[in-house]
């Protein structure tokens, strides 16, 4: 019996897209790039703290 996912979400394609977007941001605006990274890490840490 095969499990067919309803969505065609591909993690590898998603990561490639994000990496490409972040590379463009890094090349155009390094300050905003680092702000985005810091914000993402803060959000991640907050989510981890809520689960514990």
């Amino acid at each position: 019996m095969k499990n067919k996912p309803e969505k065609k979400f591909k993690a590898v394609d998603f990561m490639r897209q994000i990496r490409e977007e972040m590379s463009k941001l890094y090349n155009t605006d390094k300050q905003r790039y680092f702000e985005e990274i810091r914000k993402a890490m803060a959000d991640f840490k907050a989510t981890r703290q809520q689960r514990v």
Side-chain angles (χ1 to χ4, degrees):
M1 197 164 117
K2 291 185 178 180
N3 185 7
K4 293 185 180 181
E6 292 180 24
K7 296 180 182 179
K8 298 290 182 180
F9 178 79
K10 303 281 187 183
V12 174
D13 292 336
F14 175 75
M15 290 303 297
R16 285 181 182 145
Q17 177 186 352
I18 296 300
R19 184 177 61 219
E20 182 179 325
E21 290 173 5
M22 293 304 285
S23 291
K24 287 178 183 177
L25 182 60
Y26 181 80
N27 289 328
T28 58
D29 188 358
K30 289 180 177 57
Q31 181 67 31
R32 183 165 170 242
Y33 170 82
F34 287 114
E35 289 172 5
E36 291 286 330
I37 296 293
R38 286 187 194 102
K39 181 180 179 285
M41 286 302 297
D43 291 345
F44 174 75
K45 287 179 181 179
T47 301
R48 295 284 292 176
Q49 289 296 328
Q50 290 174 356
R51 290 184 184 171
V52 173

